[in-house]
């Protein structure tokens, strides 16, 4: 019984007899005889019993709130607890979107509690929305898929890839942070609500397992219970074709909630189905991973992401080389840039230490107030899509002289004109939980693309600067070139998007792999065709 129900019960007892005139009259006359006073001891003893149970319940509630407080406080006091860990990031969003609401609204009205509620309501509009919780859950599923992570391991705070009997640690956090049954339930329910039983079942399985281990414990912040997890998991198995598991879980549900008529009808239904098709008793349905129609290169893309960076080394391909690059430009003579040619067709070069730590930090600080959800071009429109999870901002050169210096450096290194309108403003991108950008081209592939509004042609080249490091994941994968480049803080990656003929180079299909652990920032400078006529002369040969 919650505190509100206990308080209501107490008030109900205090109101005993109000509907009985004779008893009301007698109560009003108690003071006139000690025997009447003595009889009043009985009702008070009953009130004391109710009050004792109420106080015990309140003490249990306060102990539970203290547990929740200590749990959250320990995360804030531990300086080694980064939100770069996607499990911590997910539970932070879940706490702010769900747990705190459950804690606040579970408390009953009093001066202190009212102040807490008022304070909560004042900041409520600044808290993550339910859509953020959904997005964080989908991010965990994305990491699960791309990096072949084990759900049981994730629930324990371990990032392990499981392939057959082989287990590989992809990242070892300094501190293990485990998920609760309610955490796992919320992830599974997001998949369940989308009809995605491939992801729903393992997360709900883990939720059921954790709820079983803590059955009978009341946690104020939780929305779900063992019964909820069993209910959803049973139906998920039924939808996936595994009637036997659905029946077993439904029967277990009835052990905890025997009066649930809907579940009782489900049990009868499953029993009838199994009687009609006995083979299903031992059959285990193979649940296929949901197909992604727009991503035809999924296996290659994910394989490259799983390498966490796989560019070839010099001894493997002798034609690749390293050098200190000046590009015969006086600007770079006193401070040449370390250059690594990591692929020839398409041409891809990595420039080490292209920016300093302070420059990278400044760029991030300039962009942060202006970040908005990243979009992609779809015909003439710009859309927010699930296959690009990040926020971005555009910085003009006028923001700070340092950006002018940066443009001079890019121009000196590439030999290209990067002044507007021959190049776009610097785009700064910060990736979210499991942030990624699935395989795409930087250059326009449709004549109706918004890129042509600049009236400076297509994007001939990309210059991408890594403004941060990450603990794991986040590599840049070139699908057809079959290599991936890990995030190298302060380095820059350059490649040509177009052949000299002006045709798009299909081998530049690339992707930003999901960030497994870390806070990934990049800055993109896209350079257009116009203005480069004498800097990169055209050719009629499609091979150039």
């Amino acid at each position: 019984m919650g505190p509100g129900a206990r308080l209501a019960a107490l008030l109900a007892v205090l109101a005993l007899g109000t509907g009985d005139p004779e008893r009301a009259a007698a109560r009003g006359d108690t003071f006139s005889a000690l025997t009447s006073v003595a009889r009043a001891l009985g009702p008070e003893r009953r009130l004391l019993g109710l009050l004792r149970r109420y106080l015990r319940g309140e003490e249990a509630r306060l102990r539970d709130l203290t547990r929740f407080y200590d749990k959250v406080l320990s995360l804030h006091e531990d300086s080694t607890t980064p939100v770069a860990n996607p499990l911590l990031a997910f539970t932070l969003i879940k706490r702010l979107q769900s747990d705190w609401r459950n804690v606040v609204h579970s408390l009953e009205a009093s001066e202190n509690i009212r102040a807490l509620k008022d304070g909560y309501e004042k900041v409520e509009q600044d808290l993550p929305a339910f859509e953020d919780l959904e997005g964080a859950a989908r991010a965990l599923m994305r990491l699960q898929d791309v990096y072949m992570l084990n759900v049981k391991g994730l629930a324990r705070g371990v990032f392990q890839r499981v392939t057959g009997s082989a287990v590989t640690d992809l990242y070892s956090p300094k501190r293990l942070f485990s998920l609760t049954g309610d955490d796992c339930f919320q992830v599974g329910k997001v998949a369940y609500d989308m009809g995605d039983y491939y992801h729903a079942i393992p997360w709900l399985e883990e939720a059921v397992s954790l709820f079983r281990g803590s059955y009978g414990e009341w946690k104020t912040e939780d929305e779900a219970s063992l019964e909820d997890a069993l209910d959803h998991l049973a139906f998920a198995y039924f939808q996936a074709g595994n009637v036997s598991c659905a029946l077993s879980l439904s029967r277990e549900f009835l052990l905890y909630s025997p009066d649930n008529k809907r579940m009782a009808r489900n049990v009868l239904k499953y029993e009838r189905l199994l009687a009609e098709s006995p083979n299903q008793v031992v059959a285990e349905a193979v649940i296929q991973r949901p197909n992604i129609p727009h991503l035809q290169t999924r296996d290659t893309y994910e394989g490259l992401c799983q390498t966490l960076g796989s560019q070839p080394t010099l001894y493997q391909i002798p034609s690749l080389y390293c050098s200190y690059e000046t590009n015969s430009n006086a600007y770079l003579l006193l401070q040449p840039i370390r250059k690594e040619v990591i692929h020839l067709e398409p041409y891809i070069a990595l420039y080490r230490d292209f920016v300093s730590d302070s420059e990278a930090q400044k760029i991030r600080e300039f962009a942060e107030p202006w970040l908005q959800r990243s979009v992609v071009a779809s015909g003439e429109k710009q859309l927010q899509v699930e296959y690009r999870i990040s926020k971005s901002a555009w910085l003009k050169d006028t923001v700070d002289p340092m950006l002018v210096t940066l443009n001079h450096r890019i121009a000196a290194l590439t030999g290209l004109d990067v002044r507007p309108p021959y190049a776009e403003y610097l785009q700064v991108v910060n990736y979210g939980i499991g942030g990624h950008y699935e395989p795409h081209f930087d250059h326009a592939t449709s004549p109706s693309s918004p890129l042509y509004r600049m009236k400076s042609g297509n994007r001939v080249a990309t210059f991408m600067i890594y403004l941060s490091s990450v603990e794991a994941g986040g590599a840049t994968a070139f699908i057809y070139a079959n290599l991936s480049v890990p995030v190298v803080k302060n380095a820059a990656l350059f490649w040509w998007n177009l052949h000299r003929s002006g045709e798009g180079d299909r081998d530049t299909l690339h992707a930003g792999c999901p960030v497994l652990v870390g806070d990934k920032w990049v800055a993109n400078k896209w350079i257009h065709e116009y203005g480069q006529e004498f800097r990169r002369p055209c050719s009629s040969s499609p091979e150039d």
Side-chain angles (χ1 to χ4, degrees):
M1 182 185 292
R6 289 192 291 271
L7 182 59
L10 181 59
L11 294 174
V13 172
L14 290 173
L16 279 176
T18 57
D20 187 340
E22 292 184 5
R23 292 186 63 180
R27 196 171 60 249
D29 200 35
T30 301
F31 68 90
S32 62
L34 286 177
T35 186
S36 297
V37 172
R39 285 198 299 267
L41 292 173
E44 186 174 53
R45 281 192 289 269
R46 293 196 298 272
L47 286 175
L48 282 173
L50 289 171
L51 184 58
R52 182 175 62 250
R53 290 194 291 272
Y54 178 78
L55 290 173
R56 286 174 178 171
E58 284 296 279
E59 289 167 356
R61 181 178 66 83
L62 289 174
R63 286 196 299 271
D64 189 53
L65 288 175
T66 302
R67 174 197 57 77
F68 178 75
Y69 171 83
D70 291 339
K71 179 181 77 171
V72 178
L73 181 64
S74 68
L75 295 175
H76 284 263
E77 289 179 337
D78 189 348
S79 60
T80 65
T81 304
V83 295
N85 184 321
L87 300 179
L88 288 173
F90 167 78
T91 54
L92 171 62
I93 286 182
K94 177 177 174 289
R95 283 200 306 276
L96 293 176
Q97 201 284 321
S98 171
D99 293 3
W100 275 101
R101 184 179 67 248
N102 293 336
V103 167
V104 169
H105 290 290
S106 73
L107 309 178
E108 295 303 319
S110 70
E111 290 184 5
N112 290 338
I113 293 168
R114 188 67 258 167
L116 176 62
K117 287 188 176 181
D118 289 343
Y120 176 82
E121 289 167 1
K122 287 178 181 178
V123 301
E124 192 171 11
Q125 62 182 359
D126 298 324
L127 301 181
F130 179 70
E131 290 76 12
D132 291 298
L133 179 60
E134 287 183 316
R138 287 196 298 269
L140 291 184
M141 293 180 235
R142 183 183 315 122
L143 295 174
Q144 170 193 347
D145 288 342
V146 173
Y147 296 107
M148 301 176 67
L149 298 177
N150 177 265
V151 171
K152 281 191 173 295
L154 279 175
R156 299 195 313 272
V158 176
F159 297 81
Q160 292 179 328
R161 179 191 303 148
V162 178
T163 50
S165 59
V167 178
T168 306
D169 287 326
L170 297 183
Y171 171 71
S172 298
K174 294 179 181 178
R175 175 187 176 189
L176 289 182
F177 185 86
S178 58
L179 299 178
T180 66
D182 192 63
D183 295 334
C184 294
F185 175 82
Q186 295 297 340
V187 178
K189 190 174 185 301
V190 168
Y192 177 95
D193 289 341
M194 296 188 298
D196 174 9
Y197 305 113
Y198 174 88
H199 291 106
I201 286 175
W203 284 101
L204 292 173
E205 285 272 19
E206 192 59 25
V208 165
S209 176
L210 291 170
F211 277 132
R212 282 173 179 155
S214 61
Y215 188 74
E217 295 179 10
W218 175 48
K219 293 182 180 177
T220 307
E221 71 272 20
D222 284 357
E223 284 193 9
S225 64
L226 174 58
E227 290 91 329
D228 293 320
L230 288 169
D231 188 3
H232 285 75
L233 181 58
F235 191 71
Y237 265 122
F238 170 69
Q239 289 293 92
N242 195 328
V243 181
S244 180
C245 279
L247 175 60
S248 175
L249 292 163
S250 300
R251 285 172 173 166
E252 182 180 352
F253 178 98
L254 288 176
L255 294 177
Y256 302 104
S257 185
D259 297 329
N260 191 297
K261 295 180 180 179
R262 176 180 58 82
M263 190 59 72
R265 289 194 299 269
N266 284 351
V267 167
L268 293 175
K269 175 183 175 180
Y270 300 152
E271 288 174 341
R272 186 179 66 254
L273 288 172
L274 289 175
E276 294 170 354
S277 304
N279 292 335
Q280 291 196 46
V281 174
V282 295
E284 290 189 9
V286 178
I287 308 170
Q288 297 295 327
R289 178 177 165 187
N291 188 31
I292 305 176
H294 67 267
L295 186 53
Q296 305 301 322
T297 55
R298 184 172 71 181
D299 291 344
T300 303
Y301 158 59
E302 293 182 352
L304 288 170
C305 290
Q306 289 164 16
T307 64
L308 305 180
S310 63
Q311 74 270 31
T313 54
L314 292 178
Y315 69 86
Q316 292 173 314
I317 305 178
S319 56
L320 302 179
Y321 63 92
C322 300
S323 66
Y324 279 95
E325 183 65 57
T326 64
N327 201 27
S328 302
N329 189 300
Y331 190 87
L332 298 174
L333 283 177
L334 295 179
Q335 192 174 6
I337 304 290
R338 287 192 295 160
K339 173 183 177 180
E340 296 177 26
V341 177
I342 58 178
H343 206 269
L344 296 177
E345 294 182 7
Y347 178 85
I348 305 171
L350 181 72
Y351 298 97
R352 300 267 179 175
D353 298 316
F354 179 76
V355 293
S356 65
D357 285 340
S358 61
E359 288 174 327
Q361 182 177 346
K362 271 190 173 182
I363 295 171
R364 296 196 303 267
E365 290 173 352
F366 291 148
E368 190 166 3
W370 307 101
L371 290 173
Q372 294 184 343
R373 177 71 184 267
S374 298
V375 296
V376 300
S378 178
E380 297 182 0
K381 297 180 180 180
Q382 305 243 343
L383 303 175
Q384 296 179 5
V385 291
E386 182 66 20
Y387 60 83
R388 186 183 188 188
I389 302 297
S390 62
K391 286 187 175 182
S392 54
W394 299 87
L395 297 182
K396 294 184 178 181
D397 301 351
T398 53
V399 169
D400 190 88
M402 184 267 290
L403 297 178
V404 177
T405 301
L406 187 70
N407 277 341
H408 289 161
R409 198 179 305 156
I410 295 173
L413 197 56
T414 63
L416 301 174
D417 192 338
V418 300
R419 298 171 300 170
Y422 307 126
E424 300 171 40
Y425 296 125
L426 191 70
Q427 186 200 54
V428 183
V429 182
N430 182 219
Y431 289 80
I433 306 172
H436 70 144
Y437 193 174
E438 287 181 357
H440 63 282
F441 294 106
D442 280 355
H443 61 274
T445 57
S446 166
S448 61
S449 169
L451 288 179
Y452 290 112
R453 293 175 189 166
M454 291 181 65
K455 301 188 183 303
S456 56
N458 209 340
R459 288 172 173 169
V460 67
T462 293
F463 198 92
M464 183 175 74
I465 308 167
Y466 294 114
L467 300 175
S468 67
S469 60
V470 299
E471 281 77 11
T476 304
F478 289 85
I479 310 304
Y480 297 133
N482 197 33
L483 80 149
S484 59
V485 183
V487 175
V488 181
K489 186 182 179 183
N490 298 341
L493 204 59
F494 173 83
W495 67 89
W496 298 106
N497 293 309
L498 306 180
H499 293 291
R500 289 182 181 270
S501 63
E503 294 294 320
D505 186 347
R506 68 182 299 275
D507 288 337
T508 62
L509 183 73
H510 64 286
C513 294
V515 179
L516 183 57
V517 183
D519 184 15
K520 180 182 176 182
W521 287 78
V522 301
N524 296 306
K525 173 66 76 170
W526 283 302
I527 306 162
H528 284 240
E529 293 177 278
Y530 296 1
Q532 322 305 335
E533 294 85 349
F534 300 105
R535 299 169 185 266
R536 192 193 190 221
C538 297
S539 169
S540 59
S541 172
E543 303 301 323
D544 293 340

